[in-house]
């Protein structure tokens, strides 16, 4: 998936993730432990599924 997006717009996926985290912090407040755990869980899930 990353290679396909990099073909259209380089580094679009990491930029989108940064903006999603930024908007989550603005909406829900600075719940950093929840954000870090969410990133770890999503990374593991995507790794097992084969998307990353």
């Amino acid at each position: 998936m990353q290679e396909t997006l990099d073909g259209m717009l380089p580094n679009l996926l990491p930029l989108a993730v940064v903006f999603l985290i930024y908007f989550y912090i603005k909406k829900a407040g600075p719940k950093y432990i929840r954000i870090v755990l969410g990133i770890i869980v999503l990374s593991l899930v995507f790794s097992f599924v084969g998307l990353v």
Side-chain angles (χ1 to χ4, degrees):
M1 183 172 170
Q2 180 70 40
E3 293 85 19
T4 305
L5 289 174
D6 278 343
M8 295 183 286
L9 291 170
N11 299 321
L12 179 66
L13 190 57
L15 181 65
V17 170
V18 168
F19 277 118
L20 285 173
I21 292 170
Y22 172 75
F23 289 123
Y24 178 78
I25 290 173
K26 284 191 62 110
K27 180 183 178 235
K31 297 177 179 153
Y32 302 117
I33 299 296
R34 185 180 295 175
I35 293 169
V36 170
L37 290 177
I39 291 171
I40 291 171
V41 167
L42 285 175
S43 299
L44 289 173
V45 168
F46 287 156
S47 170
F48 286 129
V49 173
L51 290 176
V52 178

